[in-house]
Amino acid sequence: MARTYSIDIDLGTKAPEFELRDSVTNNLVNLYDVKGEKGTVVMFICNHCPFVKHVNDEIVRLANDYRVLGFGFVAISSNDVENYPEDHPKLMHENARKHNFTFPYLYDETQEVAKAYQAACTPDFYVFDGELKLVYHGQLDDSRPQNGIPVTGRSIREALDAILNNRKVAEIQKPSLGCGIKWKPED
């Protein structure tokens, strides 16, 4: 598996707007549909990446724990399905059902949303405050496939807890590590 780190993005960056189709409901969903009063978590994931498979259950727990506290959650897959058919929206729907996703799982067919967010890998996590300003961009936690560290969501939980308690989110943030986004070939 190719190991790719998330790109460093300036904190305070405004969340790029989007409108994408939900692979489960087939409805169009935009940033304001998923925005939480306290903050919003945007996750770039996919079906086939071992790094994402490793954390799927924790991202569901995380969403379930924090959605009731005023946070919105959304997952987006931007992979090229021509060359990676296991990430096709039909299979995204099945994956969302299998893992009981309680948040929209959107398909970014043009890859424009991934480019706007400067997403580099799956998983790639972004936490925005109530004003949709970036306060955290990095890893879920220190766990990786086969490193023996339990999946806890600690890094993102600490960022969300800081927002809840009106504290500044730590500025030192570890990048996410995963498979590179599967970009479409340039024409």
Side-chain angles (χ1 to χ4, degrees), residues 132-147:
L132 292 173
K133 292 182 181 164
L134 185 67
V135 295
Y136 179 86
H137 176 231
Q139 68 177 11
L140 180 69
D141 57 32
D142 289 326
S143 183
R144 306 287 184 268
Q146 300 152 350
N147 76 354

Side-chain angles (χ1 to χ4, degrees), residues 116-135:
Y117 277 80
Q118 300 179 55
C121 59
T122 56
D124 207 348
F125 297 97
Y126 301 74
V127 177
F128 297 93
D129 65 14
E131 297 175 359
L132 292 173
K133 292 182 181 164
L134 185 67
V135 295

Side-chain angles (χ1 to χ4, degrees), residues 57-151:
D57 292 339
E58 178 56 26
I59 63 175
V60 171
R61 277 191 298 273
L62 184 74
N64 290 342
D65 290 349
Y66 285 88
R67 198 176 51 250
V68 296
L69 300 173
F71 290 93
F73 286 80
V74 64
I76 300 170
S77 178
S78 300
N79 280 354
D80 171 19
V81 298
E82 289 286 318
N83 291 304
Y84 296 87
E86 58 270 45
D87 290 330
H88 191 279
K90 276 188 184 165
L91 299 176
M92 289 171 59
H93 175 104
E94 291 174 18
N95 191 49
R97 292 283 186 225
K98 174 183 171 188
H99 291 285
N100 297 310
F101 284 5
T102 55
F103 42 82
Y105 188 16
L106 310 180
Y107 178 48
D108 177 20
E109 182 176 8
T110 67
Q111 301 184 318
E112 292 303 315
V113 176
K115 289 174 185 170
Y117 277 80
Q118 300 179 55
C121 59
T122 56
D124 207 348
F125 297 97
Y126 301 74
V127 177
F128 297 93
D129 65 14
E131 297 175 359
L132 292 173
K133 292 182 181 164
L134 185 67
V135 295
Y136 179 86
H137 176 231
Q139 68 177 11
L140 180 69
D141 57 32
D142 289 326
S143 183
R144 306 287 184 268
Q146 300 152 350
N147 76 354
I149 297 172
V151 180

